[in-house]
Amino acid sequence: MPIPGVARGGLRRTYDVVIVGGGIQGLALAYELSARGLRDICVLEAGYPGCGASGRNGELVRSAFSSVEWATFFDASLRRWRDLSVELGFNVLFTPAGYLVLASTQEELDRCRGFAARHRDLGLVTELLGDREVRELAPALNPELVAGGVYQPDGGFAHHDAAVWAYARAAARRGVEVHPFTRVTGIRTDGGRVLGVGTTRGEISTPVVVDAAGGHARDVAGMAGVPLPTTTHRLEAIVTESLAPFLRPALATLHLLGYCHQTTRGELVGGTEQNVMEPATSLNGSLRGLRDMAQKFVRLIPQLAGVRLLRHWAGIVDVTADLAPVLGPVPELEGFFLDCGWVYGFMGAPAAGSLLAEAIDSGNVPELIAPFSIERLRAGDYIRESSLVVTLGDA
Amino acid sequence: MNAERLDFRFEGGVVSGVAGQSIGSALHAAGVRVLSSSFKYRRPRGLYCVAGACPNCAVRVDGLPGVPACVTPLRGGEIVERDRRSSVMDPVPDRISRWVPAGFYYHRLPRRPWLWLRTERVLARIAAAGRLPDPDAAAALLDGGFEERRVEVVVVGAGSAGLDAAAGAARAGSSVLVLERDHQPGGFLLSEPGGATRAGELVTAATGAGAELMLGATALGWFEEGLLAVATRSGLIALEPGRLVLATGSYERGLPFADGDRPGVMLAAGAQRMLVRDGVRPGGRIVVITDEPYGHAAAALLHGAGIDVSVVDRRPADAAHADAVDAGVPVLAGRTIAAAHGRRSVEAISVVGPNGRSRLPCDAVAIAVGRRPADELLLERLYAGSVILETAPERPPGVEVAGER
């Protein structure tokens, strides 16, 4: 069966834009570029579309973050998510079931209070909840872990495969070529300009290359001679057997460093971060990860004890020191753009795609993504975001 | 057999079984055919593989969901329920399935997000397979232990291959641990007449040579740390095997045909297991669908128990009749099953062949169309770490696969 949106013909010798990585970032960007009227866009994917972190994430969507940079960027994305199914002509199953950032201690609640106060000024719709309100919202939660939280009623979750599929299909309909099982082997540059890419299926000439290679972004940037200050980590997730609805909102727990939601099909999907995220490039699930997730989710929702797991998997992310993405041009190499460093990439893809497309097309970096430049990392001028449930351990 | 009678509760009534039987067989003997319903269309489902390998007989036992009735031994006194109570609305999703085909919500609803949100709420209620465990049942599981253990040789599966391998390794001087998820060692031997005696001999040989046998122990996964995770009733064990022998046997293959999920349609080795291990007749009138010698052997066994059996063999007459074992079992060669009939459980099947279609009344169907190896543990390691295989995977060192030629 042909995969919708996947090119069946051979590679051409020349494209206007080559995007390395056929995950949700690369596909959303390709779609947005074509929507702006650009032609001859090619997406090169080493595996199949969405086979990396795009199909392995927790599929949650929120903008209730603590920093102005994160909150405003992800709110632009959240607004895109609401209309994405209509725009792409395919139901990405975005379900605004609400999103709760759970605080379990007074310190965490104070942190939530601090950033929730800013949300109204930024145009976000969120509310600070006390312990009783959280217990009413999610009665299955262990009351010992409920001190309160920030609730975003229009956050929620979408279906990751549906979103990848929808973007691939919509991009292909506008003439984008998505080439699966095509690995990039080198990037040709000369005099501070991009000239083309070498692939396992031949050479391509192009003036624009975008690194949207997810867990492999540092390797791809390295091919262009651009050192990317990132480290590669493994994240793991589990899914349980299906159960009657017991958890309506999507949830991130600051205390356990975990996130989860109950899908429409009734499965609980979630992941946790261990305090030490060791650099890893493996896609294997680990027993240590499995035990960590099982113990934490049972602690969070005690009635999950005895529920069987359907699957356990891992994905890799290539992350920056401040866990924020790297979006935009690279000053010393004309024609080379970065769309990587993602940890919250699934929820950020709709905004990242349209804003980076604008940067590539117009040459001007939109204000919302300007803070996520590579220069910030080079200057050590990190974005301070305190509502994340991933950690680099000692970071 | 002087079996002890055991009573348990099923949805308000008391059902009697016999010690050694599975919950599923005891319910089958009591006339209960429907044990669960399918995920979305809520089609009736019941005992199918009778090997703990499919979700069709998952029931709720003492407040815990997802318990495979077919392989869970009866203890007596347990409270068994269908995890989804049957409702008069159950047939509705299946009846309207033509208008809501698989994946309809991807294509039919994108232009109407509000409709998706309504639909999502309804689907969530329809689609759930079970309910959360009862709080007390969940709480009782919280003190499960964790143990790490190094063993020179770990054998997964206490069937004839695994027990024999364990005896050999133990005689050669290794410390050996045999894992078996069943509560009885012997594997498929236990489903063969006289097999229990042979299984007993193999167990004696293995344990006599010093091998340790752990029952009710499921090898959950073989992780990259080199650890084999084993779930037991008392907790989780992380085994670090020096050498690992996979003797996990095989699964029977299914066969697709219209309404092939009706309760009463089951796999032949499963039907044989019910009869031989649990002393429960899978039906009074059984049709065996096969293209394999073991289908004819199973038919002979069922017929020997006084069941009205016929065989539908998909192969031409000469091949079919060459494998026939029991002259009292009619063989319809060169034909195959086209459909099962019956509302809640199978009442007849349609058979098609060169001379057209005919209808055979029956209350059970046994499918015997081949097996495939139960090789998930091996595949976990062979195919792990990458989604793109550029070279054929190599088997990790120190791993043997029993039954491999």
Side-chain angles (χ1 to χ4, degrees), chain A residues 42-373:
Chain A
C42 162
V43 178
L44 302 177
E45 166 55 49
Y48 54 87
C51 70
S54 302
R56 296 163 183 270
N57 60 75
E59 30 179 59
L60 305 186
V61 181
R62 67 158 154 155
S63 64
F65 289 100
S66 71
S67 60
V68 174
E69 294 90 342
W70 283 67
T72 51
F73 170 79
F74 282 98
D75 206 47
S77 217
L78 175 57
R79 286 197 295 270
R80 294 292 315 269
W81 273 110
R82 279 183 220 150
D83 302 320
L84 203 57
S85 298
V86 178
E87 181 179 338
L88 300 179
F90 189 84
N91 194 352
V92 299
L93 310 191
F94 175 64
T95 305
Y99 193 114
L100 175 69
V101 178
L102 177 69
S104 299
T105 65
Q106 197 54 47
E107 185 278 321
E108 288 161 9
L109 186 57
D110 290 343
R111 215 194 306 165
C112 288
R113 185 173 291 119
F115 69 76
R118 219 171 301 149
H119 284 160
R120 184 188 295 254
D121 296 337
L122 299 174
L124 273 66
V125 181
T126 65
E127 25 185 323
L128 184 76
L129 302 186
D131 58 341
R132 191 191 299 171
E133 291 156 305
V134 170
R135 284 202 302 270
E136 273 169 27
L137 182 68
L141 299 182
N142 183 350
E144 288 172 17
L145 291 175
V146 175
V150 175
Y151 180 60
Q152 181 164 37
D154 55 0
F157 46 87
H159 187 304
H160 45 32
D161 292 334
V164 167
W165 192 330
Y167 269 124
R169 224 175 63 126
R173 286 184 176 173
R174 292 179 184 272
V176 171
E177 289 182 21
V178 179
H179 289 282
F181 302 108
T182 309
R183 189 185 287 280
V184 171
T185 53
I187 297 176
R188 274 180 295 121
T189 64
D190 188 37
R193 293 174 64 99
V194 165
L195 297 180
V197 298
T199 78
T200 47
R201 292 170 62 203
E203 293 286 321
I204 299 171
S205 295
T206 178
V208 177
V209 172
V210 183
D211 180 356
H216 305 281
R218 190 171 67 251
D219 301 339
V220 171
M223 290 176 193
V226 175
L228 207 56
T230 54
T231 48
T232 310
H233 298 267
R234 170 171 55 183
L235 301 177
E236 298 183 44
I238 49 173
V239 54
T240 69
E241 288 194 341
S242 160
L243 297 158
F246 64 89
L247 180 67
R248 183 62 185 160
L251 182 88
T253 141
L254 298 171
H255 195 67
L256 300 176
L257 294 179
Y259 46 88
C260 62
H261 74 287
Q262 192 183 14
T263 67
T264 302
R265 292 167 59 91
E267 304 126 340
L268 185 87
V269 179
T272 61
E273 309 321 325
Q274 299 161 65
N275 278 320
V276 184
M277 256 172 63
E278 284 176 13
T281 55
S282 164
L283 283 176
N284 294 337
S286 69
L287 181 57
R288 190 181 62 181
L290 179 60
R291 290 186 63 214
D292 190 70
M293 291 185 281
Q295 284 168 343
K296 285 178 180 166
F297 284 125
V298 166
R299 183 141 180 255
L300 183 67
I301 303 169
Q303 268 179 273
L304 282 178
V307 171
R308 286 156 201 256
L309 296 183
L310 274 183
R311 282 183 300 281
H312 162 211
W313 67 91
I316 55 173
V317 290
D318 193 32
V319 305
T320 60
D322 59 7
L323 296 168
V326 197
L327 284 169
V330 175
E332 72 275 16
L333 184 59
E334 196 184 329
F336 193 62
F337 292 84
L338 297 169
D339 182 358
C340 51
W342 287 102
V343 186
Y344 288 67
F346 179 74
M347 64 175 78
S354 71
L355 295 166
L356 191 60
E358 185 184 336
I360 293 170
D361 184 24
S362 71
N364 301 316
V365 175
E367 204 179 312
L368 277 176
I369 59 168
F372 301 106
S373 68

Side-chain angles (χ1 to χ4, degrees), chain A residues 91 93-96 157 245 248 263-266, chain B residues 40-41 93 96 99-128:
Chain A
N91 194 352
L93 310 191
F94 175 64
T95 305
F157 46 87
R248 183 62 185 160
T263 67
T264 302
R265 292 167 59 91
Chain B
K40 212 179 281 174
Y41 298 114
I96 63 167
W99 297 280
V100 283
F104 76 96
Y105 36 79
Y106 293 116
H107 299 284
R108 304 221 172 150
L109 300 175
R111 302 203 176 280
R112 300 173 196 87
W114 60 269
L115 188 57
W116 160 243
L117 296 184
R118 300 264 173 89
T119 311
E120 189 265 339
R121 291 279 182 137
V122 175
L123 284 181
R125 232 172 291 155
I126 295 174

Side-chain angles (χ1 to χ4, degrees), chain B residues 288 290-291 296 310-324 329-337 351-356 358 360:
Chain B
V288 178
T290 193
D291 49 12
H296 291 270
S310 50
V311 171
V312 171
D313 194 315
R314 306 196 291 171
R315 298 170 299 172
D318 48 345
H321 289 288
D323 284 333
V329 176
V331 176
L332 304 168
R335 274 169 263 193
T336 191
I337 185 167
V351 169
V352 287
N355 303 325
S358 56
L360 289 181

Side-chain angles (χ1 to χ4, degrees), chain B residues 77-90:
Chain B
E78 54 268 80
I79 296 171
V80 179
E81 306 158 84
R82 295 182 186 101
D83 221 346
R84 293 272 312 204
R85 292 290 170 85
S86 44
S87 129
V88 289
M89 295 296 283
D90 279 351

